[in-house]
Amino acid sequence: MSDNQGRKDLRMPDDDEVFATVTEMLGANRVKVRCADGTERTARIPGKMQKRIWIREDDVVLVEPWDWQDEKADITWRYEKQDADQLREEGHIQ
């Protein structure tokens, strides 16, 4: 039996993306996230994700910080709970 039996290949961040955890729901399709680089940002849920992918507090997401305003970002991906647990086990996030 292989050690990787239950492991899934997960989407990893691109060059301009970073892992983040949702800390607060702000309303109007905005959330407060704490990024892996230590920065607290206001992230926007894009229209293509609204009402298709539900984001809640403590969810692990990928965000793409804005080039012109570093304290803001766009959410690009949300991980399921078991996928987030796998990322923690492999040491990608705390």
Side-chain angles (χ1 to χ4, degrees), residues 16 52 62 66 69-70:
D16 52 349
R52 291 176 183 84
L62 281 179
W66 291 1
Q69 232 176 342
D70 193 47

Side-chain angles (χ1 to χ4, degrees), residues 40-51:
E40 184 108 1
R41 291 184 171 96
T42 301
R44 179 175 63 167
I45 302 170
K48 67 181 180 179
M49 291 180 79
Q50 293 172 15
K51 296 190 173 124

Side-chain angles (χ1 to χ4, degrees), residues 43-92:
R44 179 175 63 167
I45 302 170
K48 67 181 180 179
M49 291 180 79
Q50 293 172 15
K51 296 190 173 124
R52 291 176 183 84
I53 299 172
W54 293 98
I55 296 176
R56 296 175 292 280
E57 286 186 18
D58 298 325
D59 278 352
V60 175
V61 295
L62 281 179
V63 297
E64 183 177 342
W66 291 1
D67 294 336
W68 61 95
Q69 232 176 342
D70 193 47
E71 70 274 1
K72 294 188 179 177
D74 287 328
I75 294 178
T76 57
W77 188 263
R78 180 183 67 91
Y79 290 99
E80 300 289 331
K81 183 184 179 329
Q82 62 269 22
D83 296 342
D85 292 340
Q86 178 181 330
L87 288 170
R88 286 187 185 95
E89 287 173 11
E90 294 176 358
H92 297 291

Side-chain angles (χ1 to χ4, degrees), residues 3-56:
D3 289 336
N4 293 337
Q5 185 177 6
R7 186 184 183 288
K8 286 174 46 179
D9 286 333
L10 300 176
R11 184 180 190 283
M12 298 306 280
D14 293 334
D15 293 336
D16 52 349
E17 293 176 331
V18 66
F19 288 114
T21 304
V22 177
T23 57
E24 185 181 354
M25 303 299 292
L26 299 176
N29 301 318
R30 302 227 185 303
V31 296
K32 186 74 76 171
V33 295
R34 172 163 287 116
C35 298
D37 60 4
T39 308
E40 184 108 1
R41 291 184 171 96
T42 301
R44 179 175 63 167
I45 302 170
K48 67 181 180 179
M49 291 180 79
Q50 293 172 15
K51 296 190 173 124
R52 291 176 183 84
I53 299 172
W54 293 98
I55 296 176
R56 296 175 292 280

